[in-house]
Amino acid sequence: MTTNDPQTIPEVSWHAASIQEVMHKIGSRPEGLTDDESRNRLQEFGPNTLAQARKKGPLLRFLLQFHNVLIYVLLGAALVTALLQEWLDTAVIFGVTVVNALIGFIQEGKAEKSLESIQGMLAPRALVQRDGHKRTIPAEELVPGDIVFLKAGDKVPADIRMSEVFDLQIEEAALTGESVPVTKTAHPIDEEAGLGDRTSMAFSGTLVAYGQGTGVVVATGSRTEIGRISSMLSEVETLTTPLLRQVARFGHWLTGAIVALAGVTFAFGVMIRGFAPGEMFLAAVGLAVAAIPEGLPAIMTITLAIGVQRMARRNAIIRRLPAVETLGSVSVICSDKTGTLSKNEMTVQTVRTADDQFHVTGVGYEPRGGFQHSGQDIDPLHEDFGLLPVLRGAMLCNEAIIHHRGEEWKPEGSPTESALVVAGLKAGLDQKHENDLQPRRDTIPFSSENKFMSTLHHDHEGRAFIYLKGAPERIWERCAGQRSRGGDHPLDLDFWEEQAQEIASQGQRLLGLAVKEVDADRQDLEFSDLEDGFTFLALFGIIDPPREEAIQAAAKLIGQCVSVSECYSAGIVVKMITGDHALTAKAIAREIGIGNWEEVLTGQELEKMSQEELEQRVVNIDVFARTSPEHKLRLVKAIQARQHIVAMTGDGVNDAPALKRADVGIAMGSSGTEAAKEASDMVLADDNFASIASAVEEGRTVYDNLKKAILFILPTNGGQALVVMASIFLGLGMVDAAGHFILPITPPQILWINMVTAVTLALALAFEPSEANVMRRPPRASDEPILSGFLIWRVCFVSCILVAGALGHYLWVLDHGADKSMAGTVAINTLAVGQMFYLFNSRFIASPVWNITHLVESKAVVWSLSAMVVLQLVFTYAPPMQYLFQTTGLDPASWGRIVCFGLILFVLVELEKTVWRRIRG
């Protein structure tokens, strides 16, 4: 037999081919490969492993923190001051950049390990047939053509086309999103079937939940489905966040403006005023130092870090710092169903008998809830609705057990059977007591071929019963009658099919239950006992229910359950993307209140669309079902192409590429795979959609606080830069005995005021709480600049007030006989106190701050003002500071004039707010 190499193995839809065709094309046979064949194939195909991700070392990660245009400007200023031997200036500027880099480095923590996490999902060993003998080998040595044996508890070691199955069920949620184990078959499947419907395949990295199976390996390593996801993940481009894009644009604009102003000032001083070029160069450097907001990068990082802490308290763990702010601009949330919008805990929701339909309340495996008939609560234990025998039969014909440990209720067994046990517990039945009353004598377990299970029981009155539970159509064909409260009647098949269709249309999975009384001496079961003679008892509708918090959060975000006006004001659309079936997805979407729940786009339909067509359709469709990893990635890209900021939630490795591509990837902390977590920007500690809503609120608050901090910091720099420019343009500077040009405020004094206002006053704004309307306004546009026209006006307005006060006070003091040191100290303290009063204005960008509550309600503001007062007193009166910064003590009259200026600035800004509000209506 010739050995195929990777290029010569044909492209085959393995799930659609017969096992004989698969064996022929893969070059294998039932007794397996020989050792020589496996060695040759291992050389050609390589080991059954995935490519390791290249990691960034700590040094590179630290250096990348400096990759910011504002940091480049600061480093340039540090270099210039070093060349001029202004060592104090150099040390301060360089210290600011290092502190900022350290904060970012610590917050980001570990680099991405997505591919490494997926690598950890692969099975360590595999049981194979080699040379006609079974042997256990390292999974990395598997090659296409190997015959592999699977049993319950095994991790599937490669992509395998099943040849024999014995009640084989595989948990594929991590790969396909399917919320319950998938029953496997050896028969070919339709070629167009999606990944979740390829029941003839077992995929690498999934878990065998039940039964046994044998199959042939058709793909290893990077050629498996999980390998394709790994490759997709390595190729997915991580987008820059809106904030970083805005900061980059702002940094370029600010850099150009500073360089232009410094150049104009230098030229004017030399050519018009006749100052020496060397002196004007120093003055231009002083202007640049004054204009650069040295504290801004640190404030931005600290504000984001505070947002991280706040979100952590609300169960949202941020892995990448910029994601904090990005959440505030999210306009579309693409949510996986399982575990996020739903509980990932199967629950009986409907019980349909021949007489009545009952609704079961409560969700999950905790038996909290009850039964309703016609909207009224009932007690099955004490009221004769014929419901108790049905629930008893479902509990007896069952392999699951519900364990109660403390406040936790944990299932042991399949989710569907566990749901039936919980329904019985809600009715007041006790599982152990019922098994004692009707002990089991024999069982025929569930199989994928039969689609039912059966148990034989005896009661203490000498009777024997066979219970039959499974797919309704397989139960009905064995039933002659149906049970009602009035007795047994012939089976009305049309009635039951109609009821089944109605329940299924609500996205519920169906199970049928029947019973047959047999001779009391029967001790075992034969398949012949199950052919006919049963009486149909009931239909069960089972669903993975939505979280109540998700319903409330969706209502809060999209307004569907509150009002249309709130939907438009919030501006956030929630789209559900799931691997589950369309009917299930539609039912969950309807119950949660997702916008357009009536139209569902399946992965099979999506597959046939071009990207351009998908971008058009994705606008109006909010529910996507039976999706693969490629589909999810395409959907995220399509939504982003419509200029939306996208948050994507997920828990499986199948979600990882879309999580990485999204503007904010959100992984589940409890149920999520490590691959999903490592590809994400944020991890939900409680797997709860409501936590996303909280995180969005915090993200919007963080952005508001960043804008407030920027709006506070920039006027300080603008005022200082205008003081330098005015000194040269108006000829207000002094020339000392050595002929050196002396600015009213020296570069060290400028750096001092920049840093102390940033680390005290501006920092207080990072702690501002959410404003009342934060979740009643639309998200900002992704291309919105940090500084709007209004904010630029505010910066210029306050800058002019500050320069007028500082420079005016400086000249007034000089005119009254004070020396340069006294005048400079007055000017710098005028700027500082003006900023203190302006801090109150900045707490609300447009709203008034007249009342005393707004002035003192923030503890951060009170503490920052206290710190600023202490620092300015030390700056003014401490001898070491007087030596370093050329300051001198001030008299009470000077302080009185300074405080009066601060009050005037506060009143003027509040009046400006009033005028602006009236202009805007």
Side-chain angles (χ1 to χ4, degrees), residues 458-577:
H458 286 189
D459 64 14
H460 297 295
E461 297 175 3
R463 296 179 300 175
F465 303 91
I466 299 175
Y467 286 103
L468 186 67
K469 177 180 95 286
E473 63 275 10
R474 302 305 297 272
I475 306 300
W476 292 329
E477 65 189 25
R478 289 162 171 77
C479 291
Q482 62 190 42
R483 182 155 298 172
S484 66
R485 289 199 297 273
D488 292 349
H489 302 280
L491 182 72
D492 185 348
L493 187 58
D494 291 339
F495 167 80
W496 287 111
E497 287 178 341
E498 181 181 340
Q499 296 301 314
Q501 186 174 0
E502 179 184 337
I503 297 171
S505 69
Q506 301 172 36
Q508 299 178 31
R509 299 170 185 268
L510 295 172
L511 276 180
L513 178 69
V515 67
K516 179 168 76 171
E517 187 168 352
V518 294
D519 295 339
D521 58 354
R522 291 298 302 272
Q523 297 296 319
D524 52 23
L525 277 176
E526 302 290 344
F527 272 102
S528 58
D529 298 325
L530 310 181
E531 292 178 356
D532 53 29
F534 282 87
T535 301
F536 193 73
L537 296 179
L539 275 175
F540 290 87
I542 304 175
I543 198 168
D544 183 7
R547 291 176 177 268
E548 293 178 6
E549 307 97 320
I551 297 173
Q552 297 165 3
K556 183 177 181 182
L557 285 171
I558 64 176
Q560 188 70 23
C561 301
V562 184
S563 69
V564 174
S565 62
E566 284 197 14
C567 171
Y568 283 108
S569 64
I572 298 175
V573 176
V574 179
K575 295 181 184 290
M576 186 171 80
I577 306 175

Side-chain angles (χ1 to χ4, degrees), residues 476-703:
W476 292 329
E477 65 189 25
R478 289 162 171 77
C479 291
Q482 62 190 42
R483 182 155 298 172
S484 66
R485 289 199 297 273
D488 292 349
H489 302 280
L491 182 72
D492 185 348
L493 187 58
D494 291 339
F495 167 80
W496 287 111
E497 287 178 341
E498 181 181 340
Q499 296 301 314
Q501 186 174 0
E502 179 184 337
I503 297 171
S505 69
Q506 301 172 36
Q508 299 178 31
R509 299 170 185 268
L510 295 172
L511 276 180
L513 178 69
V515 67
K516 179 168 76 171
E517 187 168 352
V518 294
D519 295 339
D521 58 354
R522 291 298 302 272
Q523 297 296 319
D524 52 23
L525 277 176
E526 302 290 344
F527 272 102
S528 58
D529 298 325
L530 310 181
E531 292 178 356
D532 53 29
F534 282 87
T535 301
F536 193 73
L537 296 179
L539 275 175
F540 290 87
I542 304 175
I543 198 168
D544 183 7
R547 291 176 177 268
E548 293 178 6
E549 307 97 320
I551 297 173
Q552 297 165 3
K556 183 177 181 182
L557 285 171
I558 64 176
Q560 188 70 23
C561 301
V562 184
S563 69
V564 174
S565 62
E566 284 197 14
C567 171
Y568 283 108
S569 64
I572 298 175
V573 176
V574 179
K575 295 181 184 290
M576 186 171 80
I577 306 175
T578 178
D580 257 326
H581 289 278
L583 279 177
T584 305
K586 185 175 180 179
I588 291 288
R590 177 177 59 190
E591 191 165 348
I592 287 174
I594 282 178
N596 177 20
W597 56 266
E598 294 181 342
E599 187 174 4
V600 180
L601 183 68
T602 65
Q604 194 170 358
E605 295 168 330
L606 188 154
E607 196 82 51
K608 300 173 183 176
M609 294 182 184
S610 66
Q611 193 65 18
E612 293 75 18
E613 186 181 358
L614 182 59
E615 289 172 12
Q616 296 295 324
R617 295 287 306 279
V618 78
V619 175
N620 300 316
I621 297 177
D622 294 334
V623 183
F624 303 88
R626 234 49 186 146
T627 53
S628 70
E630 290 91 344
H631 299 154
K632 294 184 179 185
L633 185 57
R634 282 189 66 194
L635 285 168
V636 169
K637 289 180 178 179
I639 297 169
Q640 288 172 332
R642 306 292 295 184
Q643 305 304 311
H644 286 288
I645 302 298
V646 180
M648 173 77 195
T649 75
D651 54 1
V653 64
N654 61 317
D655 299 313
L659 289 174
K660 185 176 179 182
R661 170 69 190 199
D663 297 281
V664 183
I666 304 171
M668 303 300 105
S670 299
S671 61
T673 61
E674 286 303 311
K677 294 175 188 176
E678 293 299 333
S680 68
D681 303 290
M682 184 175 89
V683 177
L684 296 182
D686 57 356
D687 290 12
N688 197 333
F689 185 85
S691 296
I692 303 176
S694 300
V696 168
E697 182 178 350
E698 288 294 348
R700 292 187 175 190
T701 301
V702 164
Y703 185 74

Side-chain angles (χ1 to χ4, degrees), residues 421-454:
V421 175
V422 172
L425 295 176
K426 288 177 181 178
L429 298 177
D430 180 87
Q431 189 175 18
K432 184 177 184 304
H433 180 64
E434 296 300 327
N435 283 321
D436 289 342
L437 288 178
Q438 296 189 50
R440 182 185 299 186
R441 299 303 183 191
D442 197 11
T443 183
I444 294 178
F446 177 88
S447 69
S448 56
E449 284 78 15
N450 296 322
K451 295 185 178 180
F452 59 72
M453 74 168 290
S454 182

Side-chain angles (χ1 to χ4, degrees), residues 398-421:
N398 205 304
E399 300 290 353
I401 301 174
I402 303 295
H403 297 286
H404 184 203
R405 300 185 183 93
E407 296 184 359
E408 281 193 302
W409 296 79
K410 293 291 186 183
E412 181 181 314
S414 79
T416 301
E417 294 205 318
S418 299
L420 294 172
V421 175

